[in-house]
Each structure stands twice: as structure tokens, then as C-alpha cells.
Amino acid sequence: MLIPHDTRIALDTVVDLMNTAPEGGRGDALGDVAALYAFVRSHEISGVGELGERDLRAVRDVRDRFADVFGAPDARTAAELINRLVAAAGTTPQLTDHDGYDWHVHYFAPGASVADHLAADCGMALAFIVVAGEQDRLRRCEAPDCGRAFVDLSRNRSRRYCDSRTCGNRLHVAAYRARRKEAAAG
């Protein structure tokens, strides 16, 4: 699956945003405005001015709506959720070539809030996945104590864990030990 660079960046951003949610014993990584600033800086989100509590609440709402898209049972439901999210952001597609990046499309209106920026750009990246007939690539980690979001970009759509070095390896080691224990007992 060929994904344009800016779409890939937006997919990474939506996954990282979703994984800030409090789940599985993890606290909310967007616990305050300072954490929101850190998220914006780490993802190089352009055109963001002063942020406040209202922005934090709005970004958390967008995060929850992205989680609904990942949990959608089918492409039609995902499309409806994405359409509502992107429409509410007031998309205004524009070609831009800022900060050393080649031409790419920004879907948010100039001066948009950080929440609208995320909803528009990341929502359109998710729309790209649905249009390509690949909605089943939007996944949650299958490790029982994890549930983190990821986009499975493997060729054969076989990725099951958010990170094979942590969640995947931990489960494989546990299964191996269980088999060895069973063999020793038998």
C-alpha cells in the first residue's frame, strides 16, 4: 500500500494522539495544557498559537472521536464518523510547502484551532485508508493488558501488536514458558 509522506505523518499523529488516552492503567498523557504543548511540539504541528484548557478539552474530544473510527465495525460506519469529524473542523484544503517540506495538502483552515487542525489532517488520512478499502488496518494491540492503537502497514495485514519487541515478544515468551511447563508436567 503506497501512502504519501504527509498522510503517513498524519496517521502516525492520530495513533500517537489516541495512545495518549488513559487506558489499561495508564494515566492521560494529555493531562494538562503543558502536555498538549509537548504533543504539538513533538509532532511539529504548524500554525498553533496560544493553547488553553478549551484547546485541551477539544483535542481530547477529537481523540475520542478518532477512537470511535478505529472501533467502527465496518467502512460505512467509519466513513460516517470521519465525515462528521472533518466537516466539524471546517476543512479548507490548501497546497503548501513550508518548513522545508515539498508540496503537500493541509486540510485545515488558516488560523484553525489545534483540535480542528488534528481533526482535519488526521481525519483525511483516515479517509485515505477507508477509500483504499483498508479500514481493517486500523487496529488495537491484541496484548491483553495493552489496547494501544496502531495502523497495520504490513504487506499481509498480519500485525497483531502495537510493538513486536514489547507486547508481541512478551506474549510469545509467556506462551513458550507455558508450553515448556506443560511439557515438563506431562
Side-chain angles (χ1 to χ4, degrees), residues 96-129:
T96 184
D97 65 343
H98 62 89
D99 299 327
Y101 293 104
D102 286 335
W103 289 105
H104 60 282
V105 179
H106 280 185
Y107 294 97
F108 56 92
S113 70
V114 67
D116 285 346
H117 180 136
L118 290 167
D121 270 2
C122 296
M124 291 306 298
L126 293 174
F128 174 85
I129 296 295

Side-chain angles (χ1 to χ4, degrees), residues 81-149:
L81 293 166
I82 292 167
N83 284 340
R84 284 197 297 264
L85 184 65
V86 170
T91 58
T92 307
Q94 294 183 356
L95 287 168
T96 184
D97 65 343
H98 62 89
D99 299 327
Y101 293 104
D102 286 335
W103 289 105
H104 60 282
V105 179
H106 280 185
Y107 294 97
F108 56 92
S113 70
V114 67
D116 285 346
H117 180 136
L118 290 167
D121 270 2
C122 296
M124 291 306 298
L126 293 174
F128 174 85
I129 296 295
V130 172
V131 166
E134 304 286 352
Q135 186 241 343
D136 61 330
R137 290 182 183 269
L138 305 177
R139 302 215 175 131
R140 293 289 190 153
C141 183
E142 291 183 18
D145 58 342
C146 185
R148 291 173 62 87

Side-chain angles (χ1 to χ4, degrees), residues 13-77:
T13 300
V14 73
V15 164
D16 289 348
L17 178 62
M18 288 177 54
N19 288 336
T20 65
E23 285 184 34
R26 293 185 311 263
D28 192 335
L30 286 181
D32 56 26
V33 174
L36 179 58
Y37 271 114
F39 182 87
V40 165
R41 273 192 310 277
S42 70
H43 290 85
E44 300 178 357
I45 299 172
S46 61
V48 175
E50 184 88 17
L51 298 174
E53 288 294 326
R54 183 177 178 184
D55 296 297
L56 181 61
R57 284 189 303 274
V59 168
R60 286 177 178 160
D61 179 60
V62 167
R63 175 182 69 187
D64 293 345
R65 294 171 76 190
F66 284 143
D68 293 341
V69 173
F70 270 67
D74 54 53
R76 180 165 305 286
T77 304

